[in-house]
């Protein structure tokens, strides 16, 4: 990191002044000091864009208006409201955190940073953002957008996910903190990353800290922050069975851990499995496989998954459909069901079209 010379106005002062004119002030989770509402927004905004989050956030808050309601609701209902937002681990952890707040903090969201960070699913940056917005507590944030702003502005080389680089960025973020107006500063930093210092084609002409931005001065914007070192992700493939009859499709509850944990999804079989034999043994169902549908590619953090959808007409009434963990889902209920986004899209496109 290069040293930045003395300036008439600090980094924080320029951001706060910029925010007064250009910051976002009307998002549904702003203009409140309610830590619960702020927390849910911060969790949803991890890995998801504002425009996508807004309708989910509003529906979620209508269904779970406070910590106690979230804590006492079945996980399945929480997952239904998260369905389509992706990264379902966030919903599992939010549910567990709500229960921890009820069990260990009497239902009141904790104020101390350490206690907030101890809750499931809340890391250092998220805890600092909640504490700043809800309680005015002074603390540095360092989410993905802020890493990009600081890496460029201070000319920090290296991949920000690397522990050494991240430590450097944390130190820098702390050194920039203002003594006052932490809430506005925190929001301004987030807004700058989300609306001006974009990954591609940042609006440096509009940036309040452009005059001492090292990436701009040294023409290194495209190379900062350094991308994640390339890694070839393992590829997996599986067939998903669309067993349908009379306007219903068979879905299976996924295990409590692993991908799409706790959601309903289509039954899976190995791509080379004998589908007729499998359905007879697993569901006591006689099926007639139909023309396979085009494969679907889906990326997870650690691997890529190819889904091969295999429609099958069900002949007669299978006995096992009443088993726990299996459900004949009416096609009319697809929109509100706790299904993974690619499965919901497949069913919507192929079964409701
Ligand atoms: S000048 Fe450009 S690259 Fe530098 S912080 Fe501002 S928007 Fe980002």
């Amino acid at each position: 990191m290069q040293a930045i010379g003395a300036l008439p106005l600090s980094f924080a002062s320029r951001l706060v002044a910029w925010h007064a004119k250009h910051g976002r002030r009307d998002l549904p989770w702003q203009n409140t000091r309610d830590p619960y509402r702020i927390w849910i927004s911060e969790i949803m905004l991890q890995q998801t864009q504002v425009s996508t989050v807004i309708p989910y956030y509003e529906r979620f808050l209508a269904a779970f208006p406070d910590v106690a309601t979230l804590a006492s609701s079945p996980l399945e209902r929480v997952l239904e409201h998260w369905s389509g937002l992706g990264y379902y681990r966030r919903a599992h952890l939010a549910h567990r955190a709500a229960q921890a707040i009820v069990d260990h903090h009497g239902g009141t969201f904790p104020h101390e940073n350490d206690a907030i960070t101890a809750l499931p699913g809340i890391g250092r940056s998220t805890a600092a953002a909640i504490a700043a917005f809800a309680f005015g507590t002074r603390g540095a944030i360092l989410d993905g957008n802020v890493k990009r702003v600081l890496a460029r502005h201070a000319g920090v080389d290296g991949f920000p996910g690397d522990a050494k680089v991240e430590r450097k960025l944390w130190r820098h973020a702390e050194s920039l903190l203002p003594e006052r107006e932490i809430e506005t500063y925190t929001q301004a930093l987030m807004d700058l990353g989300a609306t001006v210092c974009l990954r591609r084609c940042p609006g440096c002409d509009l940036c309040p800290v452009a005059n001492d931005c090292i990436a701009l001065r040294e023409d290194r914007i495209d190379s900062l922050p350094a991308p994640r070192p390339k890694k070839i992700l393992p590829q997996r493939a599986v067939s998903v069975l669309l067993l349908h009859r009379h306007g219903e499709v068979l879905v299976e509850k996924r295990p409590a851990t692993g991908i799409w944990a706790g959601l309903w999804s289509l039954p899976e079989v190995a791509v080379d499995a004998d589908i007729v034999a499998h359905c007879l043994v697993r569901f006591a169902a006689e099926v007639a496989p139909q023309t396979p549908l085009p494969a679907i590619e889906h990326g997870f953090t650690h691997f890529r998954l190819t889904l091969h959808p295999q429609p099958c007409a069900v002949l007669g009434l299978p006995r096992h459909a009443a088993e726990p963990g299996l459900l004949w889902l009416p096609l009319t209920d697809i929109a509100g069901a706790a299904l993974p986004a690619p499965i919901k899209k497949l069913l919507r496109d192929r079964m409701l079209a």
Side-chain angles (χ1 to χ4, degrees), residues 149 152-153 192 196-198 202-204 207 209-210 213 215-216 221:
V149 172
R152 284 174 172 168
H153 184 260
L192 188 74
V196 176
C197 193
L198 304 174
C204 301
C207 178
V209 293
C213 173
L216 181 63
I221 290 173

